[in-house]
Structure formats: C-alpha cells, structure tokens
Amino acid sequence: MAEKPTRMSTQIPDDEDIQKEDNIRCLTLLGHFGFDCLPHQLMNRSVQQGFFFNILCVGETGIGKSTLIDTLFNTNLKDKKSSHFYPNVGLKIQTYELQESNIQLNLTVVKTVGYGDQINKEASYQPIVDYIDAQFESYLQEELKIKRSFVDYHDSRIHVCLYFISPTGHSLKSLDLLTMKNIDSKVNIIPLIAKADTISKNDLQKFKCKIMSELISNGIQIYQLPTDDEATTHVNTSMNGLLPFAVVGSMDEVKVGKRMVRGRQYPWGVLQVENEDHCDFVKLRDVLLYTNMEDLKEQTHTWHYERYRCSKLQKMGFTDVGAGNQPVSFQEIYEAKRQEFLDQCQREEEELKQKFMQRVKQKETAFKEAEKELQDKFEHLKRVQQEETMKLEEERRQLEEEIIDFYKMKAASGALQTQGCTNIRKDKDPHIQVQQPW
C-alpha cells in the first residue's frame, strides 16, 4: 500500500490548465490522495468473491469432450461415459468448484448428449439454442426485478462454446455448419479439431484451411481473439491464424526420458499433450484461461446478451427514440404501453360483453324456438289423444250396441227354437197339450 498523504492540496494555475472537450480541465495534483490503489481494491474484492466461467462443449458422442475438460483443468471431474442410444439431443450440466493458489473458480460445464446420433439431424441444434436463450432470459428477468440480487445470483450465461469437429480430414459436416450457423450470434465459438493425433501434420494443415474456408463461405462468425491490447496483441494475432485448434486430451502420464508427462503412448512413439509441436492444447489453454477469459465474459455480456436483450425489448414494444427521433424515457414508454394495454383490455372486455350478450340472445331465441316447438308438439299430441279418445268412445258405444243387439238376437233365437220344438212334439202326439206359459 502507498504511504498516507501528508498534504492534501491542489494547485490550479490558470496558465497550465489544459482545456479538453466539454470543458474538462486537467489539474496537476500536489500530494498523494490514494486513488491509485483502486486496482488493488478491485483485485482484493474479486479474489474474495471468486470467479466463474461457463463452458459449452458441443460434439458427437465419444469425440473426447470430457477428456479435454479434464485435461484443461488437470482434474478428474468424474463424468460418466455417454451412450449412443439417446432418442433426442440433450444437455448435461455440471458445476465444479476449483481452486488454484488462493483463487477460487466456479466452473460450469455443459455438454451435449446424443448429439449426431439420430437419423434425422435437422433439429439437433435446437436444444442448444433453447438452452442459451433460456440463460439470457433468466439474466434479463433478474435485471428487470425491482429487488435485484446479482451478488448471490448464479450467472449461467455461456461464455464460450468449444465446438468439437470430427477429424475426417475432408470437410465440415452439414450438421456442424447448421449448428454453428444458428448459435454464432448467441455465443463465442472456438472450433476444435478433436483427436488431432489421427491426422498427419500435412493433412491437418490442409484440413484447417478447408474448415476456415467453409466457415467464411457460410457466413459463420467464430470468436476472434482481441488485438487491441498491447500486452496480448502479438500473441492473439498469431493465435487467430491457428484456428481451429487441433487438440488432444489425456490424463495418462507417460515416461519420456527421465520425466513423466501427460500424453498418449503408441507403438511408434509418445504424443505429449503439452508439447506445442504435437498439438495445440497449450495454445487453447492459454486462450481460455490465461489471456482471454475476461474478454470472453465481456463479449458474452456486451455483445451476445445485449443483442438478445435489445431484440427482446423491441418485441415488447420498447424503443430509445420516439417521433422525430427524439429520445424517449423508459417511464414514458412504460406509461404508454400500460395505457395501450389498459385500452386493449377495455376493448377486449367490450368485445367479450358484446359476444356474451349476442350469445345470450342467440340462446334465448333458440330456447324460445325450442319451447314453441315443444308447445306445438304438445298441442298436436293433445289433439291426437283427444281424437283417439273420441274414436275409442265411439267404438265402445258401437260395441255396446252390438252386444245389446247380439243379446236381443240371442233371446229371439232362443224363443224361436223353443217354439219350434213344441210344434214338432204336437205333430208327433196330438194328445199332448201344450202347457201355456201363463
């Protein structure tokens, strides 16, 4: 720390005042004030709070995503091997707390699962796009809260996408081009040639040129290392010319001479992971962790997230300028949108009322027609019943008359039959006297 100031005074000589734009005056300070220690304060606070970094690994199953992450951080993250038999593309999210010296890093690794294993690969990129947008949306919702708590908020926005390219040696697959085309405006893409030890050096260089040519011809934007910082201009310029990085990952230690190195043992020799003549692993590690981690996070916030935020707010109807390109405050836009929303609600309410009344009238008309129809049917059935009753009464009357006539005829027939029998007896015996009924 600097010594405490013993004198706190300023000298403002009129002749030495430097006038800049907007009438800003540069003054010469006499004495020590202490604000030159601000970088130390920021550093101490950052160390206390810790750092965070979010990596998205996109690549086919078994291409070496987990092995490379383990090799990058020299830690066995204990990730299970993925299967080739997932019906759809998924994402595996894991968070780790790493510490180097007194610096703590909260690392989130998101890996694709089942990527490239489906027969129909047209929508394989969609879960990746949805996840990236979901993290932007979550951060935007936290920003729009009345009571925000960014100190405790876990920022899950993806800072870099390591896209693993199969070492075919020919060209990019259509799935690679389709996926990178859909995510290049949402995340910093660093293309990697995985398992680069399967390609010779000459073929590897040709493959790199072919990949970059296809990316440019298809309009795919990958992460370009910044060259505006004098401390890293030379290194980043040379690194930009080496993209895509050809990497090999391994946690196995192999003896080379008298020392143990991380690498892969083959019958024809040893591939050393940290040997820059063998692969670009060290270059990738320096780009991610040593020189450009903060730039990746800054690019994510100031470029990709701002693009999402701008698009989202524009869809909601917010704008920076109004009629005549005059600046409009957020409150004015909110009040206008609120009034527009209330007017719309009122219009919809009136429309619903009218529709409701119209339906009520239609139902009343339908009920009246149904009632009239039922009444007419009832009257018709009543008349039919009355006619049937009268018909039955008439038939009953006729039946009774027929019964009376039948009994009369029966009585007459009985009398005639009795008289006939009597006459027959007289004819046979004339002495028989007929007994008179009286």
Side-chain angles (χ1 to χ4, degrees):
M1 295 290 293
E3 297 180 357
K4 295 182 179 180
T6 58
R7 181 181 179 184
M8 299 180 60
S9 62
T10 59
Q11 183 179 1
I12 313 177
D14 295 336
D15 297 337
E16 296 181 0
D17 289 349
I18 302 174
Q19 297 291 332
K20 290 188 177 181
E21 296 179 358
D22 299 328
N23 295 324
I24 297 177
R25 302 173 63 189
C26 288
L27 307 179
T28 302
L29 302 181
L30 298 179
H32 183 265
F33 285 83
F35 57 77
D36 58 347
C37 297
L38 286 175
H40 300 287
Q41 298 178 30
L42 292 175
M43 183 186 69
N44 293 333
R45 176 174 293 182
S46 298
V47 170
Q48 291 176 1
Q49 293 178 351
F51 300 88
F52 63 95
F53 195 52
N54 305 324
I55 301 176
L56 171 63
C57 298
V58 180
E60 298 176 358
T61 305
I63 205 170
K65 301 185 293 293
S66 300
T67 304
L68 183 66
I69 295 298
D70 290 348
T71 310
L72 274 173
F73 296 95
N74 196 20
T75 304
N76 187 359
L77 300 179
K78 299 180 180 180
D79 192 11
K80 296 181 180 179
K81 292 185 178 180
S82 298
S83 170
H84 287 271
F85 301 102
Y86 287 98
N88 299 308
V89 177
L91 295 173
K92 183 187 295 184
I93 307 168
Q94 292 178 311
T95 302
Y96 309 94
E97 291 184 358
L98 308 178
Q99 186 166 349
E100 183 180 19
S101 299
N102 65 330
I103 305 300
Q104 186 173 355
L105 176 66
N106 191 303
L107 175 67
T108 300
V109 180
V110 183
K111 302 173 188 175
T112 55
V113 177
Y115 182 78
D117 293 335
Q118 290 75 32
I119 297 177
N120 185 0
K121 302 179 177 63
E122 291 182 358
S124 296
Y125 67 89
Q126 196 59 48
I128 303 171
V129 174
D130 293 341
Y131 178 80
I132 296 173
D133 287 344
Q135 310 320 304
F136 285 154
E137 182 64 25
S138 176
Y139 192 87
L140 178 61
Q141 293 300 324
E142 185 66 26
E143 271 192 338
L144 297 177
K145 285 183 178 179
I146 297 177
K147 294 183 179 180
R148 300 182 297 181
S149 58
F150 281 114
V151 176
D152 300 326
Y153 177 75
H154 174 64
D155 187 0
S156 57
R157 294 174 297 175
I158 298 298
H159 300 130
V160 63
C161 170
L162 301 180
Y163 195 92
F164 290 74
I165 301 171
S166 299
T168 60
H170 301 292
S171 62
L172 290 170
K173 299 179 181 179
S174 58
L175 177 60
D176 299 330
L177 294 172
L178 184 62
T179 301
M180 285 192 279
K181 185 66 177 176
N182 281 276
I183 67 174
D184 65 346
S185 62
K186 302 175 182 294
V187 68
N188 303 309
I189 300 177
I190 297 181
L192 307 177
I193 300 176
K195 298 182 178 181
D197 53 342
T198 60
I199 310 177
S200 65
K201 284 191 174 182
N202 293 333
D203 293 338
L204 184 59
Q205 192 60 36
K206 293 178 182 178
F207 191 33
K208 282 188 174 185
C209 294
K210 181 67 174 176
I211 291 173
M212 292 305 298
S213 175
E214 290 186 350
L215 292 177
I216 294 173
S217 62
N218 286 276
I220 298 174
Q221 301 292 328
I222 62 174
Y223 174 69
Q224 293 293 317
L225 281 67
T227 57
D228 53 354
D229 187 359
E230 295 181 357
T232 59
T233 298
H234 179 70
V235 175
N236 286 347
T237 302
S238 62
M239 291 293 186
N240 283 329
L242 294 174
L243 291 171
F245 294 126
V247 296
V248 178
S250 177
M251 291 297 291
D252 299 333
E253 291 190 349
V254 182
K255 188 174 183 181
V256 177
K258 295 183 179 181
R259 60 192 182 94
M260 301 297 291
V261 297
R262 287 189 296 171
R264 292 182 179 274
Q265 179 75 54
Y266 295 105
W268 55 85
V270 176
L271 183 141
Q272 301 178 36
V273 172
E274 296 177 309
N275 189 332
E276 296 188 34
D277 294 331
H278 292 184
C279 67
D280 298 332
F281 171 78
V282 175
K283 298 180 178 64
L284 173 65
R285 184 178 61 188
D286 290 344
V287 166
L288 285 180
L289 308 179
Y290 185 68
T291 57
N292 297 287
M293 179 185 285
E294 281 301 316
D295 183 71
L296 288 166
K297 296 168 68 173
E298 184 179 352
Q299 287 290 326
T300 299
H301 181 75
T302 61
W303 181 248
H304 299 296
Y305 170 69
E306 284 300 322
R307 176 182 292 178
Y308 176 85
R309 176 179 172 275
C310 180
S311 174
K312 192 74 174 179
L313 292 179
Q314 285 179 349
K315 289 180 180 179
M316 294 170 63
F318 292 97
T319 181
D320 293 332
V321 293
N325 290 330
Q326 295 296 323
V328 182
S329 67
F330 189 86
Q331 183 177 358
E332 292 176 357
I333 298 175
Y334 171 77
E335 291 295 336
K337 296 297 293 183
R338 182 173 180 273
Q339 187 62 39
E340 181 182 351
F341 175 75
L342 293 176
D343 294 341
Q344 182 180 357
C345 290
Q346 187 174 2
R347 288 195 302 269
E348 291 180 354
E349 184 179 359
E350 292 297 329
E351 291 178 0
L352 288 175
K353 285 183 178 179
Q354 292 178 2
K355 289 181 179 180
F356 176 76
M357 295 303 296
Q358 185 177 1
R359 288 192 176 185
V360 168
K361 290 180 180 179
Q362 291 176 354
K363 289 293 183 181
E364 287 181 351
T365 304
F367 286 149
K368 288 180 180 180
E369 291 178 355
E371 183 180 5
K372 185 176 181 301
E373 183 179 352
L374 289 174
Q375 186 67 27
D376 294 342
K377 190 175 182 179
F378 173 75
E379 294 295 335
H380 173 70
L381 292 175
K382 187 176 180 181
R383 288 194 300 270
V384 171
Q385 182 186 11
Q386 290 176 352
E387 291 176 358
E388 291 290 334
T389 303
M390 293 174 63
K391 187 184 294 185
L392 290 175
E393 289 292 335
E394 181 65 22
E395 290 179 355
R396 185 175 69 82
R397 187 183 61 78
Q398 292 178 1
L399 182 60
E400 289 178 351
E401 291 177 355
E402 290 178 358
I403 292 173
I404 293 171
D405 293 340
F406 172 76
Y407 280 116
K408 288 180 178 179
M409 291 175 63
K410 183 179 180 181
S413 175
L416 290 173
Q417 186 177 3
T418 304
Q419 186 177 1
C421 291
T422 305
N423 293 333
I424 291 172
R425 289 177 182 176
K426 283 181 178 182
D427 291 339
K428 289 181 178 182
D429 189 1
H431 298 282
I432 298 175
Q433 291 182 0
V434 179
Q435 185 177 358
Q436 297 297 327
W438 58 81

